Amino acid sequence: MTSTTETAVFTDSPYLSGSSLQAVMREHDFELGTLAIVTSSATLQANTVQHAFQKAVSLATVQGHHDPAFLGLMASTLKAGAGLTVYEPANSPSTEATAQLKKALLLAGFVDSTDRGLVQTAQGQHVCVTASKPQYAVGAKASITLKPKQQQKQMSWTLAADNDDDELLDEDELLTEEDRQRPAVLDDCEVGAGKKACKNCTCGRADAEAAVQKVDLSQDMIDNPQSACGSCGLGDAFRCSTCPYRGLPSFEMGKKIELGSDFLTADA
């Protein structure tokens, strides 16, 4: 190949017929003096073709010849921005074959792939797709200058002292009569139906219970026990501090309280 070789024709066949070559030259405006022909392109390996072409055409006799790996090798033989035209037999529907070609070109790094439709060649109907090698080289880099972000001024509420248009409200005017009433003192003793004064009672319940006169237990109360609160018969856990039945076992209302023979015996 001479230094003036700018175009190339690749074919997976071991030879390229004269009629096929003339058809390619006529279609793509190639000149024989600047044309390189590469046969058996299926055996193409990296660095096999030590040249960078400006334009190339690849002919295939079998569908699927132009896979991403092969197209990647072809890209290494082209200059940046060079054009590539590929032909493959239309054995399957042309839309499917074209989609496969365009996908393979994209995966190989080519851009701007374009469907040229069905083309009649010496070997029959072929689908034709054109694409370009990107203008940038592999590993190319460029510096990017980023503008520093401008800090946004924090907005805050301000109140000018000389602004007579703003009317200030008196917070006392917002209170109702109910808000002004003193809250009632909460009862801090035990809760429940039978409240008892707690150990450190401060609400006055302990004093009220102490002022209540304690009722002494009588025989009649044992024979026919009754309860005004309904809790006396449940046991000491439910009896108030002034309950006359404190210390006695639980019982049923109206039934005599049965005391054991050892009830009055002191514990050892």
Side-chain angles (χ1 to χ4, degrees):
M1 301 178 189
T2 65
S3 59
T4 58
T5 304
E6 295 290 339
T7 56
V9 176
F10 294 80
T11 176
D12 61 345
S13 177
Y15 66 93
L16 182 63
S17 64
S19 59
S20 298
L21 177 59
Q22 289 179 358
V24 170
M25 292 176 60
R26 183 171 57 253
E27 178 69 23
H28 298 279
D29 198 20
F30 287 172
E31 295 182 2
L32 189 59
T34 60
L35 179 65
I37 300 175
V38 180
T39 58
S40 301
S41 59
T43 60
L44 185 66
Q45 297 180 359
N47 301 322
T48 300
V49 180
Q50 298 291 337
H51 199 81
F53 302 108
Q54 185 63 37
K55 191 174 182 181
V57 173
S58 179
L59 306 174
T61 58
V62 293
Q63 192 172 11
H65 170 67
H66 296 99
D67 57 15
F70 174 74
L71 291 172
L73 292 175
M74 288 204 63
S76 64
T77 68
L78 301 177
K79 295 181 179 179
L84 173 65
T85 304
V86 295
Y87 294 87
E88 275 199 8
N91 297 335
S92 59
S94 59
T95 54
E96 180 180 345
T98 300
Q100 291 177 355
L101 274 178
K102 295 179 71 172
K103 181 179 179 180
L105 287 165
L106 178 64
L107 294 176
F110 287 89
V111 295
D112 302 329
S113 59
T114 304
D115 177 16
R116 298 300 181 183
L118 288 175
V119 177
Q120 185 65 37
T121 66
Q123 289 77 28
Q125 281 193 334
H126 284 61
V127 292
C128 177
V129 177
T130 60
S132 301
K133 184 177 179 179
Q135 292 287 349
Y136 51 84
V138 177
K141 59 183 180 180
S143 59
I144 301 177
T145 303
L146 299 177
K147 294 183 179 180
K149 292 184 178 179
Q150 296 181 354
Q151 295 183 353
Q152 295 182 354
K153 184 178 180 180
Q154 186 175 4
M155 303 298 293
S156 59
W157 291 98
T158 58
L159 182 62
D162 57 349
N163 191 351
D164 298 334
D165 296 336
D166 295 329
E167 182 180 355
L168 299 181
L169 296 178
D170 185 1
E171 59 271 17
D172 292 337
E173 296 179 357
L174 302 177
L175 298 176
T176 64
E177 290 300 326
E178 184 179 355
D179 296 331
R180 298 176 188 276
Q181 294 179 1
R182 184 182 297 275
V185 179
L186 298 179
D187 190 339
D188 62 350
C189 292
E190 298 177 11
V191 298
K195 287 187 177 181
K196 301 178 183 179
C198 58
K199 184 177 181 180
N200 300 319
C201 177
T202 60
C203 68
R205 182 178 292 274
D207 297 336
E209 290 180 355
V212 177
Q213 183 178 1
K214 185 174 182 180
V215 180
D216 294 330
L217 183 66
S218 63
Q219 185 63 40
D220 182 61
M221 295 172 64
I222 295 177
D223 295 338
N224 184 25
Q226 300 294 329
S227 173
C229 65
S231 300
C232 298
L234 300 178
D236 284 349
F238 302 92
R239 293 166 182 164
C240 60
S241 60
T242 60
C243 181
Y245 294 104
R246 287 185 67 86
L248 297 181
S250 58
F251 55 84
E252 294 184 21
M253 302 298 176
K255 290 186 178 181
K256 183 179 180 179
I257 302 174
E258 299 293 340
L259 302 177
S261 58
D262 59 345
F263 182 78
L264 299 177
T265 305
D267 295 336

